[in-house]
Amino acid sequence: MKKGEFQRKIRKVHRFLGVALGIQFLFWTIGGLYFSWSDMDEIHGDHQKAHIHPLGVDLNLANPQSIIEKIKEKDSINFVFDLKLIQIFGEPVYQITYSKTHDRGRKIQLAYAQTGALRAPLTKEEAVNMAKANFADDAKVKQVEYLTTTNGHHEYREQPLPAYAVTFNHPSHTTVYVAADLASVQKFRNNKWRVFDFLWMMHTMDYQSRDNISNWLLRVFSVFGLFSILSGFILFFVSRKRK
């Protein structure tokens, strides 16, 4: 193959890769700039989280075993995966994760830690009050949504359900997600996080779940990017040699 023909083919490949990869390179660059110049605490909404006073040590707590016996009276329970002491509006509450089988069907049961009485999941009113108590800024509630399912693009994806999405009338358009069964705040989502999430999707090229950085599309574009760089070096040295 003649040098001129070889160089033309290299230029053609380089131009094709440049057009195909240019837009993606742009998103990678914009995403990298946003990630590196952003405060992750603000993206996660940490600056909006109110301080919740911990429980004191002078507690007369019920025996968790007695609560497990009460669960047996209404449901099948063979395994306990987790037992936590949480607080709901300053009152100590046990949060028990259990199931009938070892590998699936996990359930959550709340119980008042001082009396041992079983407690129902959070109501809508309780969830809203919990969101207000955890939101540091002074803002009114704009909307409340009850979630039982989410998809791969939802900002509350892969988080405990059911949950209440409490959106505040605030410049950041912050939504506080409260898991009903767990009786706890799970996530803060604001406009900065939403921009981050979109750019992260474009960065990882995972257009299904957004978080899979091992998908084949990203691998292919990374290899093509390497080819584009190498073809540019080849053109540089070939042109330099001709001169």
Side-chain angles (χ1 to χ4, degrees), residues 133-144:
N134 281 267
F135 191 58
D137 295 337
D138 185 17
K140 295 182 179 180
V141 174
K142 180 180 179 181
Q143 179 182 343
V144 181

Side-chain angles (χ1 to χ4, degrees), residues 123-165:
T123 63
K124 177 180 179 180
E125 182 180 359
E126 289 175 328
V128 170
N129 289 335
M130 183 171 289
K132 288 180 178 178
N134 281 267
F135 191 58
D137 295 337
D138 185 17
K140 295 182 179 180
V141 174
K142 180 180 179 181
Q143 179 182 343
V144 181
E145 184 180 3
Y146 184 68
L147 303 176
T148 56
T149 60
T150 58
N151 58 35
H153 294 284
H154 198 283
E155 62 184 27
Y156 188 68
R157 58 186 178 271
E158 298 181 359
Q159 298 299 321
L161 293 170
Y164 290 95

Side-chain angles (χ1 to χ4, degrees), residues 86-89 95 110 119 121-135 141 143-148 156 159-168 175-189:
I86 64 172
Q87 61 167 305
I88 301 178
F89 307 119
Q95 182 192 90
L110 302 174
R119 190 195 192 284
L122 293 181
T123 63
K124 177 180 179 180
E125 182 180 359
E126 289 175 328
V128 170
N129 289 335
M130 183 171 289
K132 288 180 178 178
N134 281 267
F135 191 58
V141 174
Q143 179 182 343
V144 181
E145 184 180 3
Y146 184 68
L147 303 176
T148 56
Y156 188 68
Q159 298 299 321
L161 293 170
Y164 290 95
V166 183
T167 302
F168 289 90
T175 299
V176 178
Y177 290 91
V178 183
D181 293 341
L182 293 172
S184 60
V185 172
Q186 298 298 306
K187 296 294 179 181
F188 276 58
R189 295 293 186 242

Side-chain angles (χ1 to χ4, degrees), residues 23 45 50 98 106 111 117-118 183 188 192 203 205 210 226 234 237:
I23 296 177
Y98 70 95
R106 297 190 183 187
L118 301 184
F188 276 58
K192 288 187 176 181
H203 204 76
M205 302 187 72
R210 302 197 178 201
L226 181 61
I234 292 173
F237 287 113

Side-chain angles (χ1 to χ4, degrees), residues 40-54:
M40 293 305 298
D41 290 338
E42 291 185 1
I43 289 175
H44 292 152
D46 293 340
H47 64 296
Q48 296 177 317
K49 297 177 182 179
H51 175 70
I52 304 298
H53 294 285

